[in-house]
Amino acid sequence: MHNYSVKDVLEDGFDLSLLKVSYDDNLKICDKITKIKEAIIARKKSSAAFNGRQYFYASDAEVLSESTFLTERHMLSMIFDNTFLDAISSVSAQYGGRYLSWHIINTVVGSFITNNYELADKFMTWKGTNDLIKQYCVQHSIISHEKLISYIKNGGISALPESLQTLVLELCSPSDAAIFVDSDSERVRLLAFKKIGPLDNLDKMVKDPACLVRKYAVRIMAPKDERLALFISDRSCDVFSQALQKISIELVPMMLGSSHLKKRRIKDILAQRLEAGQQTKP
């Protein structure tokens, strides 16, 4: 393992993939942590030899506090190499403990990031970084909201997990929320439309590829809205059925060729619409 430092990583053009830990180094480090855990358990067994206890374990906090061999390079690799972080975490599972990821991030790694907050400029948009680390960074305001929005505006939204996009969306202003309508997550897009004003963005929502977004668009449309005609051939049965209930009766015949009408529920809606149309005729 080459001893890269924070200073190295912060240099322009540094290849973050160099922080990836090899398979052999992974095994060596995990073996060290395993031995630390076994030593802690052995000490507990020795000191409690006469109290009749049958089960002993080493807590995550205990293991971390005695893992003094972890260097700055190890910290950097845990931040930029999710595989390495998972490898260390898996050691705990082998001995009946909880996964260490959350504890590592909220203790040693979290403290390291807080003291070297400039690293956030690198790892917030790095796909090799664990999502929990990015979330920790936002929740603890290690990176400013303004800077995070700047990353997203420059195309970094794809590097953020859905949970983190949702968190940022909850905090940002309606004007900034508009950038989230381009998210890969349909749930995030719907939340973004709701925040920036769905009625003012119906033209975009009705063309959204996600059924979740189109369904909401139909739900908030007024009956006989001309844009309901866009759903005459909608591939989603739920969207089609909602549109059928609201569309102008004059356009209902255009929906009769849909394969959705094979379903009893849709047939019943159609029958109700046609019956109501007959009753309203002079």
Side-chain angles (χ1 to χ4, degrees):
M1 270 178 92
H2 190 285
N3 281 328
Y4 293 112
S5 65
V6 171
K7 184 178 179 181
D8 294 326
V9 175
L10 291 177
E11 288 182 0
D12 291 337
F14 180 83
D15 184 0
L16 296 174
S17 64
L18 293 174
L19 296 173
K20 190 170 182 63
V21 179
S22 70
Y23 178 76
D24 289 339
D25 284 334
N26 248 327
L27 291 179
K28 291 176 184 177
I29 295 167
C30 288
D31 184 57
K32 284 185 178 181
I33 295 178
T34 299
K35 289 178 178 177
I36 289 171
K37 194 173 185 76
E38 290 174 340
I40 294 172
I41 293 173
R43 289 201 306 269
K44 289 187 174 184
K45 285 182 178 180
S46 177
S47 63
F50 301 103
N51 70 2
R53 290 182 60 186
Q54 299 297 314
Y55 178 74
F56 300 88
Y57 73 97
S59 71
D60 300 332
E62 290 173 316
V63 175
L64 289 174
S65 66
E66 296 199 21
S67 297
T68 55
F69 70 91
L70 293 174
T71 65
E72 182 173 303
R73 167 59 204 271
H74 292 124
M75 294 294 115
L76 289 169
S77 290
M78 280 192 275
I79 293 171
F80 291 95
D81 181 8
N82 190 34
T83 303
F84 178 52
L85 183 65
D86 284 345
I88 292 178
S89 300
S90 67
V91 174
S92 180
Q94 296 174 21
Y95 290 85
R98 298 181 302 278
Y99 278 92
L100 281 167
S101 290
W102 186 87
H103 296 275
I104 291 174
I105 293 167
N106 281 273
T107 53
V108 291
V109 174
S111 176
F112 185 79
I113 291 172
T114 301
N115 292 328
N116 299 279
Y117 61 88
E118 301 94 339
L119 289 170
D121 290 340
K122 297 275 187 173
F123 67 70
M124 285 305 295
T125 54
W126 178 246
K127 292 188 176 182
T129 296
N130 189 287
D131 291 346
L132 290 175
I133 291 178
K134 296 178 180 180
Q135 192 164 319
Y136 177 93
C137 204
V138 174
Q139 289 175 330
H140 292 78
S141 301
I142 292 172
I143 181 172
S144 70
H145 185 72
E146 292 75 19
K147 185 170 283 190
L148 188 55
I149 290 295
S150 177
Y151 290 153
I152 296 172
K153 286 181 176 179
N154 290 325
I157 191 170
S158 60
L160 301 180
E162 180 182 290
S163 59
L164 189 50
Q165 290 184 47
T166 302
L167 178 61
V168 177
L169 185 55
E170 290 174 354
L171 298 172
C172 73
S173 65
S175 59
D176 287 332
I179 59 179
F180 288 93
V181 300
D182 295 323
S183 170
D184 291 335
S185 165
E186 59 186 54
R187 180 171 173 270
V188 170
R189 292 200 303 276
L190 178 57
L191 290 173
F193 279 124
K194 287 181 178 180
K195 187 153 188 173
I196 64 178
L199 292 176
D200 294 330
N201 289 274
L202 275 173
D203 289 339
K204 291 181 180 179
M205 296 177 71
V206 298
K207 298 175 183 177
D208 195 277
C211 165
L212 182 70
V213 178
R214 298 196 309 278
K215 185 177 178 180
Y216 181 78
V218 174
R219 184 159 69 85
I220 63 175
M221 281 183 181
K224 299 183 180 182
D225 189 305
E226 293 181 355
R227 288 167 293 193
L228 289 166
L230 295 171
F231 302 102
I232 285 174
S233 302
D234 199 277
R235 60 187 178 277
S236 165
C237 187
D238 287 340
V239 175
F240 180 86
S241 65
Q242 284 196 348
L244 179 58
Q245 294 177 67
K246 286 188 168 185
I247 201 167
S248 172
I249 191 64
E250 289 78 17
L251 295 178
V252 168
M254 296 179 66
M255 306 179 81
L256 298 181
S258 174
S259 60
H260 296 311
L261 288 170
K262 295 178 182 178
K263 296 184 178 181
R264 179 61 181 270
R265 176 170 64 92
I266 308 301
K267 284 183 179 179
D268 290 344
I269 294 173
L270 175 63
Q272 292 170 7
R273 286 303 317 273
L274 293 176
E275 182 180 351
Q278 290 292 332
Q279 293 175 356
T280 56
K281 284 185 178 180

